[in-house]
Each structure stands twice: as C-alpha cells, then as structure tokens.
C-alpha cells in the first residue's frame, strides 16, 4: 500500500533591485520542484512575490497569504520550501519570528539550496546564523555605498544625479551652463539686494522674460516660489559640495518604515566646480531665509468641502493653466445671504506665487458640468461606439522593446556585480607589507567606488524600465475599465455621487477648453481631449439648444 505524500507549499521572491544571484522566479521554482519530486513531496500551492524586497515581510502580499493559509490549516502542509533563506527574508528578527509562528502550527521551513531543514536539530540554529548574516550583508552594502559617496563629497566631486540648474555635467564634473546661470545670478542678486521674497522674485523673472529652460528633470517653464527657495538654500551655487543635508531615518516605533529628515549638521566642503555667486552673497541669502522663514499656505484652502467635478481639468482660455472650483456667497440688497455660487476661476488670477493672469471670468460650475456630461452621453450613444470600445478592450499591448531593454540592463548589472566582487576580493588579498600597498589599495578603492556609481545608475535605469513596463500594463488595465465605464456611461452617471463622478472625469478627460466669452447659445464649452485614444478621428457632437447648435470637437491622444 502506497503511503500518502507529504504536502508542502513553495515560496519564491525576486527583489526590485536585481536578480543578482542569477536565479529568476522560474529557475527557483524549477529547482524546488525537482527537490520535491526527489523527496516524494506534493506541492499543493505556490506563492510568489515578484519585485519585493527581503528587508521586511511587510508589503509581501503572497507571503502574508501563505501565513494565513498555514494558520488556517486549510491544506494540512508539513513544510514550506524556499530556494534560499535570503528569498524568505533578510531581516533576522522577521525570519525567526515567522518561523516560530510556522512551527506553532506544525509547519517547518526547508531551504533547498542552503541544505537547511528547520525540523532537524541543527536547522533552526543555522537559520538564525544565516538570517543574521544576510541582514549584516545588506547593511554592509548600504554602508559601503554611503562611504563611497562621502569620499567623493570630501574630494569636492559631484555625487551623481542630474546637475543642478545653472550647471551641466561633463565627464561627471559640474561646469557652468551660462544659458541657465543667468537666472541663478538674478535670483540671488534680487533676493539679497532688495526687500522682495521668493514670490516677488518669481514675478520679477516672469515680468523680465526670464523663463526656466526645460530639461529632463523639470518641465515647468516658470520659476515658482518653491523652486526659488530651493535654489537659494543650495550651497552648490557658492562652489560647495554638500552631503547629508537630508537623512533617511527610521520612523520611531516602527521596524522598517523610514522618512527623510532635514539635518542641521552635514558635510560641506569646497567643490571642484566654479561658483555662480560669492560665498558672501550666499551667506546673506541664508540669513534672509532664516529671518523670513514661515509656512506657505495652499491656494484656495478653506472650509469648502464640495466636490468640484472639473477642477483642474478646465483650462484657462488666456494663460492655459487649470481653473479650479471656488465658492462665493450671493447676498440680497439688505445684506442677508441669498445663496452659494459655485464657479471655476483661473488659478493665477490673484498673482499666485509669481504667476499672473488677467482672465477674471467666473464660469458657473453647473453649466459647464452639465455640458461636459451631455457631450460624453452624446458620444457614447453613437452607433458602433460599444463595439469599438469592446475592440479596444481586447487589444494587446507590445512590450517587446521594453523587455529587451530590461534584459540588457539585467545583463549589464550582472557584469558590474561580478566586477565589484572581484575588486573586493583583490582588496582583501592585498599584502599589507607590500611597499606599494597604500597606492594599490587607493587605486582599487577608487575603482570600487566608481563601480558602485555604475551599479546605482544601472539599477536606476532598470527600475525605470520596469516601471515603464508596469505602467503600460497598468494603463492597459485602467484603459479597459474606463472603456467599460464609457459603454454604460449614460446609465452609470445618473446614479453616481459627486465623488464618483469626479473620479470618472479624471480618468477619461485630459483637458477641457472653454471660450473666453460665453457664446450666444449660452455655452462655455469649446473642446475636450481624452486621456485615452477613445476615438480614432475628430468627431463633431452637437449640443442642441433653444437658440443655437454648439459644435464641440472631441480629440483623442492621436490628435495631440
């Protein structure tokens, strides 16, 4: 008579940083299946967390689900198989506390590659040792990376990332970008030598035609007050290199939650780059900043809790920025309150933070909200609209180019990690008694620090590529849901509350253009652009009116 097989779960994980050990999820699964087959185990369920860090068990959805299933005893398993202990977790406290919970419910852990079985006498001890080592290794990598950056800062070198506005990066060194530097010098000159603050400087720059040159890390062509304050505080403009101005600190009372905290004391050294302002001017700016320090309130922040359906989507016909919902109170001649009047107004009509606009019209919300809803209802009622939407839902997305890009980054990163490992081995094997020891070690240290920079840059590109792919897939899912909403828009809209209607408008509409003046028909609505390619070509929708027929041109992404 054949005995009943021992039931097991398998758990796999790959972090966002990189599969640096060369084992993908599929490779881990394949190895564990072979192990289970050899030992005559039955895998009853597989759990996997792709793109999750091992520094904490928090945020790993499948891991949490596995633990819930163990506690419920639903599958009566005896073991959880993992490829390596590091896949289970890198935080020693988490690993040991989780293992204890598993054992409380009669389930043990087997690490296939490490050859560890927690049901054996020496198993839990080995797990304690290896999990502590994994945590120390993770911390060592972080410390080594930090030390490399500190050393670069001490030498006055730029520490990576985009060059600050006013400079450009040439072979990793900061050089003045004269085209951008004009604005930086004006900002410091005006701030130090006049009584105006950051808001006033924003207005000054705009009035004098000094606009921000758009680059990859800043698309806004205007200098707003917040950006000006950041520029005034940055010691790089006085020829300094700072390190540690903001520090990642653990949130008190938590194990794995962190936040950025401004530091009063940080490393500040003379940089190798040329300053844009003198140290005296920069110091004077810091004194004034401290004297004028205050909280900046949000525009239009008040007690109005009404949901404004098209707030930010409606664009000012003069300056093009978003128009936002507001409220004013109408009064009778005797001064008593008559009613609340809700309207859309230009964000910059009150000279907010250096931006200005002369458009003073107040567009009644009810009129514009109803017109937009009427246009969409008219659109979805057109023949063949539902079939066109269904066709888009069934459409596939091509991510092959991004997949290749991700594969190239992963390959390059594996090479970098291999070089890093060899450099560390070379450093460890150096003979301290060698008369050239210090020079050789300095040379190897420099190469190692440069490799850390390359690894960080490559990891950033890999994360960005993966994020793009994830965004494309998420956009496809989101798009499918939006298309489904549009198919039944006329039925759903009438039963939605204002919050739900606002969510729908944000999901499907990119922008709404209005006329500068209300049309003879009574309409303000001029045109709309959808976020998704809802239609393939311009379509004219007629809004019937007692006086006039208003034509509204609906545009898709394709038309932009």
């Amino acid at each position: 008579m054949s005995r009943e097989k021992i039931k097991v779960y398998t758990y796999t994980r790959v972090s966002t940083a990189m599969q640096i050990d060369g084992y993908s999820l599929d490779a881990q699964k394949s190895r564990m299946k072979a192990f289970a087959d050899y030992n005559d185990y039955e895998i009853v369920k597989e759990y996997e967390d792709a793109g999750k860090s091992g520094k904490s068990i928090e945020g790993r959805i499948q891991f949490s689900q596995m633990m819930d299933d163990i506690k419920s005893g639903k599958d009566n398993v005896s073991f959880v198989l993992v490829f390596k202990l590091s896949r289970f977790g890198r935080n020693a406290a988490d690993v040991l506390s989780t293992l204890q919970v598993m054992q409380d419910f009669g389930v043990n852990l087997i690490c296939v590659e490490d050859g560890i079985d927690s049901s054996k006498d020496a198993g839990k001890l080995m797990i304690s040792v290896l999990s502590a080592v994994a945590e120390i290794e993770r911390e060592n990598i972080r410390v080594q990376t930090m030390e490399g950056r500190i050393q670069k800062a001490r030498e006055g070198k730029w520490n990576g990332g985009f060059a600050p506005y006013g400079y450009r990066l040439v072979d990793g060194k900061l050089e003045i970008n004269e085209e951008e530097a004009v604005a930086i010098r004006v900002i410091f000159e005006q701030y130090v030598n006049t009584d105006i603050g950051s808001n006033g400087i924003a207005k000054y720059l705009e009035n004098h035609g000094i606009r921000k040159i758009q680059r990859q890390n800043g698309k806004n062509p205007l200098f707003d007050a917040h950006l000006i304050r950041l520029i005034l505080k940055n010691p790089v403009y006085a020829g300094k290199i700072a390190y540690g101005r903001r520090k990642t600190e653990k949130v008190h009372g938590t194990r794995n939650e962190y936040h950025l905290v401004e530091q009063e004391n940080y490393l500040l050294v003379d940089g190798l780059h040329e300053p844009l302002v003198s140290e005296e001017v920069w110091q004077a700016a810091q004194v004034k900043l401290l004297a004028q320090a205050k909280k900046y309130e949000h525009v239009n922040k008040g007690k109005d809790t009404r949901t404004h359906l098209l707030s930010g989507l409606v664009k000012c016909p003069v300056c093009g920025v978003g128009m936002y919902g507001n409220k004013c109170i109408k009064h009778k001649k005797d001064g008593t309150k008559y009613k609340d009047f809700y309207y859309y107004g230009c964000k910059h009509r009150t000279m907010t933070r250096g931006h200005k606009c002369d458009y003073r019209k107040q567009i009644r919300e009810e009129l514009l909200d109803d017109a937009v809803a009427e246009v969409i209802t008219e659109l979805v009622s057109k023949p063949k609209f539902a079939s066109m939407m269904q066709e888009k839902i069934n459409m596939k997305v091509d991510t092959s180019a991004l997949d290749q890009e991700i594969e190239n980054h992963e390959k390059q990163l594996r090479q970098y990690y291999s070089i890093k490992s060899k450099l560390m081995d070379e450093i460890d094997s150096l003979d301290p008694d060698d008369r050239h020891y210090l020079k050789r070690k300095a040379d190897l240290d420099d190469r190692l620090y440069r490799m850390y920079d390359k690894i960080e840059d490559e990891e950033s590109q890999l994360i960005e590529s993966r994020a793009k792919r994830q965004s494309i897939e998420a956009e496809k899912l989101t798009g499918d849901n939006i298309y489904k909403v549009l198919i039944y828009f006329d039925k759903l809209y009438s039963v939605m509350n204002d919050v739900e209607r606002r969510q729908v408008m944000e999901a499907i509409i990119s922008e709404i253009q209005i006329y500068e003046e209300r049309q003879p028909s009574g309409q303000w609505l001029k045109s709309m652009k959808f976020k998704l390619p809802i239609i393939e070509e311009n379509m004219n929708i007629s809004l019937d009116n007692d006086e006039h027929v208003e034509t509204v041109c609906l545009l898709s992404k394709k038309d932009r």
Side-chain angles (χ1 to χ4, degrees):
M1 184 176 68
S2 62
R3 63 184 178 87
E4 187 178 350
K5 287 187 176 183
I6 295 174
K7 296 179 179 179
V8 300
Y9 287 152
T10 66
Y11 177 76
T12 49
R13 178 186 65 79
V14 174
S15 68
T16 52
M18 178 54 195
Q19 302 169 33
I20 58 174
D21 50 11
Y23 293 103
S24 65
L25 288 174
D26 289 339
Q28 293 179 47
K29 289 179 183 178
S30 177
R31 182 74 177 86
M32 288 188 291
K33 186 178 185 308
F35 179 87
D37 290 342
Y38 180 80
N39 290 279
D40 204 25
Y41 293 160
E42 178 188 354
I43 298 175
V44 294
K45 193 169 182 180
E46 297 180 341
Y47 302 84
E48 67 175 62
D49 282 309
K52 296 295 182 181
S53 169
K55 71 178 181 181
S56 167
I57 61 174
E58 295 175 9
R60 290 195 262 162
I61 298 173
Q62 285 286 290
F63 188 93
S64 299
Q65 182 62 56
M66 180 182 72
M67 292 304 298
D68 289 342
D69 290 345
I70 288 173
K71 293 172 187 176
S72 70
K74 60 179 290 189
D75 296 307
N76 195 29
V77 298
S78 300
F79 294 98
V80 170
L81 303 186
V82 296
F83 179 68
K84 297 178 73 173
L85 183 62
S86 61
R87 302 300 90 192
F88 192 73
R90 290 182 179 271
N91 182 299
D94 280 348
V95 169
L96 296 177
S97 62
T98 303
L99 178 59
Q100 186 60 59
V101 172
M102 288 169 53
Q103 291 183 326
D104 289 343
F105 288 91
V107 180
N108 275 285
L109 179 68
I110 293 178
C111 308
V112 174
E113 190 73 3
D114 298 325
I116 298 174
D117 182 346
S118 70
S119 65
K120 301 290 194 284
D121 291 340
K124 191 167 183 179
L125 175 61
M126 283 300 296
I127 287 175
S128 300
V129 173
L130 288 179
S131 57
V133 169
E135 184 170 7
I136 292 169
E137 179 189 5
R138 179 168 60 86
E139 181 63 17
N140 283 342
I141 291 172
R142 188 188 70 81
V143 170
Q144 287 171 354
T145 303
M146 185 186 302
E147 287 176 348
R149 294 191 171 281
I150 292 174
Q151 183 59 34
K152 285 187 70 175
R154 286 194 181 116
E155 295 170 1
K157 298 176 182 178
W158 181 242
N159 235 323
F162 294 114
Y165 195 85
Y167 290 94
R168 64 166 62 92
L169 276 176
V170 179
D171 297 328
K173 298 179 181 178
L174 292 180
E175 291 188 2
I176 293 177
N177 182 338
E178 288 297 343
E179 193 176 9
E180 295 179 347
V182 173
I184 302 299
R185 294 188 181 106
V186 170
I187 287 170
F188 276 94
E189 179 188 354
Q190 288 295 310
Y191 191 72
V192 171
N193 297 323
T194 70
D195 294 329
I196 61 177
S198 52
N199 277 307
I201 291 175
K203 297 173 186 176
Y204 178 90
L205 294 173
E206 177 66 11
N207 292 337
H208 287 76
I210 301 175
R211 314 200 88 189
K212 186 158 68 72
I213 298 170
Q214 298 185 43
R215 42 151 82 178
Q216 63 270 42
N217 61 328
K219 304 295 186 183
N220 185 355
L222 300 174
F223 287 94
D224 60 26
H226 174 67
L227 174 59
I228 288 171
R229 286 194 296 274
L230 290 178
I231 289 171
L232 290 168
K233 291 178 181 179
N234 197 338
V236 74
Y237 296 115
K240 306 290 184 181
I241 290 292
Y243 184 85
R245 293 171 66 200
R246 290 179 294 276
K247 185 179 179 182
T248 301
E249 294 184 357
K250 186 176 290 187
V251 177
H252 184 68
T254 68
R255 179 179 294 171
N256 293 296
E257 292 183 30
Y258 297 85
H259 60 162
L260 281 175
V261 179
E262 295 282 347
Q263 303 296 305
E264 291 185 5
N265 298 314
Y266 52 87
L267 178 65
L268 187 66
V269 299
D270 290 330
L272 300 179
H273 63 284
E274 185 180 347
L276 283 175
V277 298
S278 68
E279 188 167 350
E280 291 75 20
V281 168
W282 189 80
Q283 291 292 352
Q286 306 318 296
V287 172
K288 186 173 178 178
L289 281 166
L290 285 174
Q292 293 187 336
K294 64 178 182 178
K295 297 287 185 182
Y296 284 81
E297 297 180 358
H298 293 290
V299 181
N300 299 329
K301 186 176 181 181
K303 297 180 180 180
D304 180 17
T305 57
R306 175 186 173 99
T307 300
H308 307 277
L309 299 188
L310 308 177
S311 192
L313 300 176
V314 185
K315 303 303 178 183
C316 174
V318 174
C319 72
V321 303
M323 299 181 72
Y324 288 81
N326 288 276
K327 179 182 79 170
C328 67
I329 300 173
K330 298 287 186 181
H331 294 87
K332 296 179 182 178
K333 289 184 179 180
D334 61 2
T336 59
K337 178 179 176 180
Y338 172 58
K339 65 176 180 178
D340 292 336
F341 175 74
Y342 293 94
Y343 67 93
Y344 296 111
C346 179
K347 174 184 176 181
H348 294 150
R349 70 190 186 284
T350 55
M351 300 287 288
T352 305
R353 294 192 182 181
H355 305 291
K356 62 177 182 179
C357 182
D358 297 324
Y359 191 67
R360 304 292 182 189
K361 296 286 185 182
Q362 296 178 343
I363 316 302
R364 186 179 169 190
E365 282 191 8
E366 185 178 350
L367 285 175
L368 197 54
D369 292 351
D370 290 347
V372 169
E374 185 179 348
V375 167
I376 299 174
T377 301
E378 180 73 15
L379 173 65
V380 300
S381 66
K382 281 185 167 290
K384 298 183 179 179
F385 184 87
S387 61
M388 183 167 62
M389 294 299 96
Q390 194 62 51
E391 184 178 321
K392 290 184 179 296
I393 291 172
N394 297 331
M395 192 179 299
K396 302 293 183 184
V397 292
D398 181 15
T399 59
S400 56
L402 270 177
D403 290 340
Q404 184 60 52
E405 188 176 305
I406 290 170
E407 184 180 336
N408 292 340
H409 288 315
E410 290 174 343
K411 181 179 179 181
Q412 184 65 70
L413 208 46
R414 280 193 293 270
Q415 292 177 359
Y416 285 161
Y417 269 99
S418 176
I419 295 171
K420 185 204 80 169
S421 180
K422 290 176 182 176
L423 286 171
M424 294 177 73
D425 288 341
E426 284 188 58
I427 292 172
D428 291 339
S429 64
L430 287 175
D431 182 5
D433 296 326
D434 187 335
R435 64 191 182 95
H436 298 300
Y437 170 79
L438 292 177
K439 290 182 179 178
R440 287 177 177 171
K441 187 176 186 304
D443 178 61
L444 288 171
D445 284 343
D446 186 57
R447 290 167 61 190
L448 181 61
Y449 294 150
R450 288 202 301 270
M451 189 52 59
Y452 276 123
D453 286 340
K454 289 182 178 180
I455 288 173
E456 184 176 4
D457 290 341
E458 199 66 29
E459 285 179 338
S460 297
Q461 292 179 55
L462 174 60
I463 290 170
E464 184 178 343
S465 297
R466 285 176 171 169
K468 285 179 184 177
R469 191 186 192 286
Q470 188 176 15
S471 176
I472 290 172
E473 293 173 341
E475 187 176 342
K476 175 66 167 67
L477 291 174
T478 304
D480 289 351
N481 292 334
I482 292 171
Y483 291 139
K484 290 171 186 175
V485 170
L486 280 169
I487 292 173
Y488 301 104
F489 180 85
D490 55 335
K491 297 180 179 64
L492 292 173
Y493 193 77
S494 61
V495 297
M496 289 177 180
N497 60 37
D498 283 347
V499 174
E500 292 168 334
R501 289 179 176 181
R502 168 67 185 178
Q503 290 172 342
V504 169
M505 294 301 183
E506 284 184 308
I508 67 176
I509 296 174
S510 172
E511 63 180 58
I512 297 168
Q513 299 292 341
I514 62 171
Y515 294 103
E516 283 192 48
E517 300 290 341
R518 190 173 180 180
Q519 300 300 290
S521 65
Q523 288 289 346
W524 285 100
L525 182 59
K526 183 178 182 181
S527 67
M528 295 162 55
K529 287 184 180 179
F530 288 95
K531 285 186 176 178
L532 295 168
I534 294 172
I535 52 181
E536 302 300 330
E537 57 185 16
N538 291 359
M539 297 177 68
N540 290 331
I541 305 297
S542 297
L543 297 180
D544 292 320
N545 186 290
D546 290 338
E547 305 173 16
H548 186 70
V549 176
E550 181 69 23
T551 300
V552 180
C553 182
L554 303 180
L555 304 175
S556 72
K557 270 187 174 180
K558 185 176 179 181
D559 303 305
R560 277 183 271 174

